[in-house]
Amino acid sequence: MALRVAVVGGGPAGSSAAETLVKAGIETYLFERKLDNAKPCGGAIPLCMVDEFDLPPEIIDRRVRKMKMISPSNIEVNIGGTLKDDEYIGMCRREVLDGFLRERAEKLGAKVINGTVHKLEIPSNDKDPYTLHYADHSNGTLQGDAKTLQVDMVIGADGANSRVARAIDAGDYNYAIAFQERIRLPEDKMGYYEELAEMYVGDDVSPDFYAWVFPKYDHVAVGTGTMRVNQAKIKQLQKGIRERAAKRLEGGEIIKVEAHPIPEHPRPRRVVGRVALVGDAAGTVTKSSGEGIYFAAKSGRMCAETIVELSNSGERILNEAELKTYIKRWDKQYGITYLVLDILQRVFYRSDATREAFVEMCADMDVQKLTFDSYLYKTVVPANPFTQMKITAKTIGSLIRGNALAPADYSPVEVVTK
């Protein structure tokens, strides 16, 4: 029998999964409720994603080669001096990136359904099909036409509020709130951000994350993120980043306001039966950097590759144990990355003193090279022993000088600017 797979969610995770499946000849259905969806997102992608996912140049709005890290006391550290001429961080708009990936999967043969999946009916055994109940919006209405589809396997790529995750009782997770304004700047102001992105840290912009000003095609994305417990403060924090960046945003016009939940860690269960979760639905966003696009696309592809391999390109249906191979491979490849970034967030984002230390440490060229190489190529680049010792000493020294080893409620009496 030919394997039939439904992928729920047409973002980077779902589209990458669908593309991989359909290339192998597997009958693939890709659901997306909003084909023009513009997800609130900083939109940064690493260089390796451009090659690995064969992204054309027009997908990239800006090629960022310089970054400013700005401390709570407004000390600015320029980073990016270690980048080679052909290295950059890509900045994209999600509606453009997502649309491209989804359309590519469709051209290869995936059946794209403009629909909202309301219910996933779970079979009573490991052979019968799953039944998806959905509203088909192809008639142009919000309500849509009620329809059903039966498939052998399901990939849930439907984001932090995943209905697929709820259907399989995948468990809950803590999540952060991202709030972002797209601001169109006067031409002279936009020129400042030609190849530059900014990251601000401080209790005034986020008590547990960072705020950003990222350049796009004809505007900048100005936003912040914080854990759910601070959700009520999100507009106050957004006001904080606008005030910190006020001089650079003068004359700007807000053209879009957006907010979205972002998972803080993986769900307790990412595979149940013949259903697998990928991307935000699985909880693949990293701590510290908050990066999600690459890891979402990668998780979707890795899940689909596992299905293709173990089903012999769709000739048989996988069971739960076989599908969990995807999770084992994912955790083996990226587990240490998530652990390290979690530790970094706990150490450096816990108070303004630790954030001052973090920004000071970013001025070190060895730290910059190690950080950029790890981000751009998604490989843990080991430093030689002497460099590693230097970085460790630099970290400890920065923490001591910033009184960052004091209790978390410590705040400097005097604010120093440079």
Side-chain angles (χ1 to χ4, degrees):
M1 61 172 289
L3 183 65
R4 290 159 56 94
V5 181
V7 182
V8 183
S15 296
S16 298
E19 178 182 344
T20 301
L21 292 169
V22 80
K23 278 182 176 178
I26 292 174
E27 189 172 344
T28 306
Y29 298 85
L30 178 60
F31 286 84
E32 175 54 50
R33 65 184 180 90
K34 292 180 68 178
L35 297 176
D36 60 348
N37 187 40
K39 181 182 175 183
C41 176
I45 59 174
L47 185 60
C48 65
M49 185 174 181
V50 177
D51 292 331
E52 193 174 334
F53 288 84
D54 196 21
L55 301 180
E58 59 267 25
I59 294 297
I60 312 299
D61 281 348
R62 301 275 177 172
R63 288 162 175 77
V64 167
R65 295 179 171 88
K66 303 170 188 174
M67 292 194 75
K68 281 186 183 290
M69 290 293 303
I70 303 170
S71 79
S73 61
N74 283 324
I75 294 174
E76 297 183 1
V77 169
N78 295 312
I79 60 178
T82 63
L83 291 180
K84 299 172 186 173
D85 290 343
D86 59 347
E87 292 181 326
Y88 61 86
I89 296 170
M91 291 290 170
C92 63
R93 286 163 290 164
R94 285 295 300 273
E95 60 269 30
V96 175
L97 174 66
D98 293 17
F100 169 79
L101 292 172
R102 188 167 53 247
E103 288 166 15
R104 184 166 68 183
E106 184 174 22
K107 287 175 183 176
L108 288 166
K111 298 176 178 67
V112 174
I113 298 173
N114 180 198
T116 303
V117 175
H118 292 297
K119 180 183 177 183
L120 177 62
E121 198 174 319
I122 311 293
S124 58
N125 57 60
D126 60 1
K127 299 296 182 185
D128 288 343
Y130 289 82
T131 302
L132 291 90
H133 298 260
Y134 67 97
D136 187 332
H137 304 303
S138 58
N139 62 6
T141 67
L142 187 63
Q143 183 177 358
D145 296 322
K147 294 185 179 180
T148 62
L149 175 71
Q150 291 192 324
V151 294
D152 304 302
M153 302 183 71
V154 179
I155 295 177
D158 49 340
N161 295 318
S162 171
R163 287 178 175 170
V164 174
R166 288 202 298 271
I168 62 173
D169 192 23
D172 207 354
Y173 49 26
N174 294 326
Y175 61 84
I177 301 296
F179 189 97
Q180 179 172 274
E181 295 168 321
R182 300 194 190 195
I183 300 179
R184 184 171 287 131
L185 299 179
E187 196 171 324
D188 60 323
K189 297 287 186 182
M190 197 67 206
Y192 172 79
Y193 290 104
E194 179 69 27
E195 292 186 331
L196 174 72
E198 295 177 322
M199 294 170 64
Y200 292 76
V201 291
D203 273 336
D204 59 329
V205 297
S206 177
D208 42 32
F209 200 53
Y210 64 85
W212 61 87
V213 181
F214 287 172
K216 301 301 176 71
Y217 173 67
D218 61 353
H219 63 275
V220 289
V222 181
T224 184
T226 187
M227 288 291 289
R228 180 170 54 175
V229 294
N230 300 307
Q231 184 175 344
K233 301 178 182 176
I234 193 69
K235 290 188 177 180
Q236 177 185 335
L237 298 173
Q238 181 68 11
K239 181 183 177 185
I241 176 57
R242 281 203 312 268
E243 289 175 351
R244 290 275 293 277
K247 288 185 179 179
R248 290 162 187 168
L249 303 178
E250 279 180 357
E253 174 194 1
I254 298 174
I255 57 176
K256 191 175 180 65
V257 179
E258 43 201 5
H260 200 76
I262 299 174
E264 280 288 307
H265 58 80
R267 285 193 192 271
R269 293 174 292 283
R270 290 166 283 171
V271 169
V272 177
R274 288 170 279 140
V275 181
L277 301 177
V278 297
D280 280 7
T284 57
V285 175
T286 61
K287 288 288 190 74
S288 186
S289 67
E291 185 187 359
I293 299 175
Y294 173 80
F295 287 109
K298 187 69 173 179
S299 67
R301 176 177 283 184
M302 189 177 288
C303 177
E305 286 173 342
T306 301
I307 293 172
V308 169
E309 176 191 341
L310 299 184
S311 71
N312 194 17
S313 295
E315 291 184 5
R316 56 181 293 270
I317 300 173
L318 273 62
N319 58 37
E320 180 177 296
E322 291 171 318
L323 190 52
K324 281 183 175 177
T325 302
Y326 139 65
I327 299 297
K328 292 175 184 175
R329 291 173 175 174
W330 177 266
D331 290 345
K332 182 179 179 181
Q333 185 164 345
Y334 295 114
I336 189 65
T337 298
Y338 283 86
L339 176 62
V340 169
L341 290 174
D342 188 13
I343 292 170
L344 285 176
Q345 181 162 335
R346 290 173 187 272
V347 171
F348 287 111
Y349 288 178
R350 71 189 186 98
S351 70
D352 274 357
T354 58
R355 295 181 191 106
E356 293 286 352
F358 172 64
V359 173
E360 177 187 326
M361 193 177 72
C362 287
D364 185 86
M365 298 304 282
D366 288 321
V367 171
Q368 288 188 28
K369 179 165 177 54
L370 193 65
T371 302
F372 268 110
D373 285 352
S374 297
Y375 174 81
L376 292 177
Y377 302 108
K378 291 295 168 281
T379 56
V380 179
V381 183
N384 67 58
F386 295 106
T387 300
Q388 193 63 61
M389 287 172 62
K390 176 186 172 184
I391 290 173
T392 301
K394 176 84 175 177
T395 303
I396 294 171
S398 295
L399 287 168
I400 292 173
R401 280 192 295 280
N403 288 313
L405 300 181
D409 62 355
Y410 166 88
S411 59
V413 175
E414 182 179 353
V415 175
V416 181
T417 58
K418 255 187 208 178

